[in-house]
Amino acid sequence: MSTEALLIELLCEELPPKALSRLAEALAEQLRAGLQAAGFVAADSPAADVFATPRRLAVRLPQVLGRQQDREIVRKGPSVQAAHDAGGKPTAALAGFARSCGVPVEALERIQDGNAEYWAFRSRRGGETLDAHLPALLAEALKKLPIPKLMRWGAGEAQFVRPVHGLVLLHGSRVVPGEVLGIASGNTTQGHRFQGARDIALAHANEYEQKLRVDGKVIASFAERRAEIAAQIAVRARELGAVVAEPESLLDEVTALVEHPSVYVGQFDAEFLQVPHECLVLTMRQNQKYFPLLDRTGKLRNAFLIVANMRLDDAGTIVDGNQRVVRPRLADARFFFQQDQKTPLAERLPELARMVYHNKLGSQRERVERLRATAGHIAARLAVDPMVVDRAALLCKADLATGMVGEFPELQGVMGRYYAIHGGDSAEVGQAIEQHYRPRFAADALPALGAPAVLALADKLDILVGIYGVGLVPSGDRDPFALRRHALGLLRIVIEYDLPLALYDLIERARTSFDRSLALGQSVVCDLIGFVLDRSLGYLSERGYAPEEIESVLDLYRARDLPLNQLLPRLEAIRRFRALPEAASLIEANKRSRNIVAKEKVAQLDQSVSEALLAEPAERALYEVLARMKPEVESQVERREFARALSALAHLRDPVDRFFTDVRVVVPEAALRTNRFALLNALNHLLNCVANISRLPA
């Protein structure tokens, strides 16, 4: 059967820019799934073309049938065994099934389904038209879009993310009749509000984007429009000898705001450059969606790029209007900065006592004291200047009481650095204040080594212990306090800076800084250790380690309080160990010995081996090699020479193999049995000195 392109377009009022691209992709995905399930689209058909502008969501599927293919329907009835009585006559169940199918019993056939045989009715159903299904399929797809809040408009009951005023359903050159969201389908779309044709009739689904571009002055493709904006920005910046400040983070949002983009250059008074550039950049980007410009050294220039929704030969009016709008915004930023500098950060500490951090965890001032205690402990462990750490911890939250951070919360920490240095504190203190929030997201830079890293660890530990401790544990995709992100940040700082810090010690120290009335017990520490270690799974997988390698090492961390900076060296050692020819035999031996001990439910695993009870030559040989290797291997582990330790264990293969061949462990004599269990335990302890190798496939 022949296919045609199917175009579906919803003309809306301005759609939410941050969700536009996601909505369009989701619509394409849901439509394709629905049409494929209904038999109008083949599983191997080409991908859909997706279009999204501020005023439209559109999808074009290249190969769609106008009618379903005829289908064979097999309706299964009662089993053959239950369909006849003792005399071989049809039972009421079989007769009723035949009547429900509208045929006599003789028209039924027997089919095999698994081990049983059934009566069934086989018929053919003619394929139905696309017209009969498309409106309902579209309505169902719209209900499944990720829309947090729906709107109603007019007097009808229709609901969508924004009011819908037009609907195109075009299969090839034919309009598919129907109504969705109270709008009748047609083949007419609309161009740019001011520069394009108001109504554009589409003769065929395949001319959609070309007609919109030529007649409507609209670039319908989100990706094409984004690329066009990026290219114009690059040209403008090059003409000015400037660099655009972080263009990628704003491109998607600006692309969702325009249909016919053009980039122009605006300027502001150079006097505003006295304000920290982070404030000016955030003001321009967040409030006005401008692209700030930097010089080649990274210093902010008094110029910015405007992405307008119109292309004009003389854009003076657009530029003048935007320059007038941005001036009061920058003036506000300057006012906040000047006013904030009148009060030193240290004098704002009483204000933190009136700021609630969490109703169960006290004020921000109380939090500061906890940070000082935890950061001081970590600084002592790492030999970091305690005076710098304590001063930074004292002031790190004080900028929350400033006007600038009140207006722009994204600047917390950044403004703290400016205000601390302005108040006479050292650059080291200012750096720690600014960077203690890092990493703010997965790919963010780490805080600098030293006081910034120490304070960042203390901050993350306080959040984890406090929020987790009062029961606000992440569930599913809900993590309002970003505990997963903070756990990953903690891991990254310790591991990537090779800091000799153990997880239990860090969490326990943070726990003791909280008020005793909260009753944060040891269970919180144990639960948090598991939570943080679970976060390391994805982090370590991204570094190329296999799941079984990761689990083998994490097993040790769940049982013992080991320094986190040993994670990667242990994983590297395990990877090299698996390549040894002796590895499979030792892994299997470890699994076998652990199973024997577990099966017998041995309680005294710490009992030492008695040489006098070593009756068999094979067990004596194993004991001797274990005794000889134990000091060497433990010394190598102590020196973090994990690969050498595992390589040395390869010499255990032959004595271990002989032991399991020649020695029966579970014997009637209690003393011999207990001694052999102790020998197996000593073997397990040595084999698992780097990781739980029983987790590895043999």
Side-chain angles (χ1 to χ4, degrees), residues 335-343 348 402-404 419:
F335 172 79
F336 286 128
F337 182 60
Q338 292 173 344
Q339 291 298 113
D340 288 343
Q341 287 181 307
K342 295 178 181 179
T343 305
R348 296 186 182 275
T402 64
M404 185 70 82
Y419 297 147

Side-chain angles (χ1 to χ4, degrees), residues 305-324:
L305 298 180
I306 307 156
V307 180
N309 195 26
M310 298 178 71
R311 293 188 182 179
L312 302 173
D313 293 333
D314 182 5
T317 303
I318 291 176
V319 173
D320 290 344
N322 280 277
Q323 290 178 164
R324 285 198 304 272

Side-chain angles (χ1 to χ4, degrees), residues 67-107:
R67 177 182 290 274
Q68 300 164 325
Q69 293 185 348
D70 293 347
R71 291 175 291 169
E72 184 178 73
I73 307 298
V74 178
R75 184 178 172 191
K76 190 170 73 173
S79 68
V80 171
Q81 186 178 3
H84 298 275
D85 59 20
K89 295 181 179 181
T91 61
L94 181 59
F97 173 68
R99 282 196 304 273
S100 70
C101 295
V103 295
V105 171
E106 292 75 16

Side-chain angles (χ1 to χ4, degrees), residues 597-598 601-608 677-678 680-682 684:
V597 172
K601 300 179 180 178
V602 180
Q604 296 179 335
L605 291 179
D606 58 345
Q607 179 175 320
S608 60
F677 281 140
L680 287 181
N681 185 55
N684 288 336

Side-chain angles (χ1 to χ4, degrees), residues 343-352 355 364 368 392-403 405 413 415-416 419 433 436-437:
T343 305
L345 280 182
E347 294 182 18
R348 296 186 182 275
L349 292 176
E351 296 180 57
L352 295 184
M355 288 185 178
Q364 290 286 1
V368 162
L394 178 68
L395 301 179
C396 68
K397 303 299 178 183
D399 64 354
L400 298 177
T402 64
V405 173
M415 299 314 302
Y419 297 147
I433 292 172
H436 83 280
Y437 290 103

Side-chain angles (χ1 to χ4, degrees), residues 234-404:
V235 169
R236 291 290 189 182
R238 189 163 54 247
E239 291 172 350
L240 297 168
V243 176
V244 181
E246 299 180 26
E248 290 297 320
S249 57
L250 188 57
L251 263 176
D252 283 346
E253 188 173 358
V254 169
T255 302
L257 291 169
V258 297
E259 292 187 320
H260 192 47
S262 191
V263 177
Y264 305 110
V265 180
Q267 291 187 321
F268 59 87
D269 294 340
E271 63 188 52
F272 288 117
L273 292 175
Q274 299 172 5
V275 180
H277 77 269
E278 294 93 342
C279 307
L280 304 180
V281 167
L282 188 62
T283 298
M284 287 187 280
R285 292 169 54 81
Q286 183 171 293
N287 292 327
Q288 306 305 132
K289 314 305 176 190
Y290 299 152
F291 290 84
L293 294 173
L294 312 175
D295 63 21
R296 297 297 181 184
T297 66
K299 185 178 179 181
L300 185 67
R301 295 177 54 168
N302 62 321
F304 54 90
L305 298 180
I306 307 156
V307 180
N309 195 26
M310 298 178 71
R311 293 188 182 179
L312 302 173
D313 293 333
D314 182 5
T317 303
I318 291 176
V319 173
D320 290 344
N322 280 277
Q323 290 178 164
R324 285 198 304 272
V325 167
V326 78
R327 181 179 175 82
R329 295 285 190 180
L330 301 181
D332 287 344
R334 180 174 60 184
F335 172 79
F336 286 128
F337 182 60
Q338 292 173 344
Q339 291 298 113
D340 288 343
Q341 287 181 307
K342 295 178 181 179
T343 305
L345 280 182
E347 294 182 18
R348 296 186 182 275
L349 292 176
E351 296 180 57
L352 295 184
R354 297 189 289 274
M355 288 185 178
V356 176
Y357 168 53
H358 186 278
N359 61 354
K360 293 183 180 180
L361 300 174
S363 67
Q364 290 286 1
R365 185 69 180 87
E366 291 172 297
R367 187 182 179 205
V368 162
E369 291 306 313
R370 294 197 299 269
L371 292 180
R372 294 177 72 185
T374 304
H377 172 76
I378 298 172
R381 295 292 303 274
L382 300 177
V384 176
D385 189 335
M387 301 296 289
V388 172
V389 169
D390 187 67
R391 181 64 176 175
L394 178 68
L395 301 179
C396 68
K397 303 299 178 183
D399 64 354
L400 298 177
T402 64
M404 185 70 82

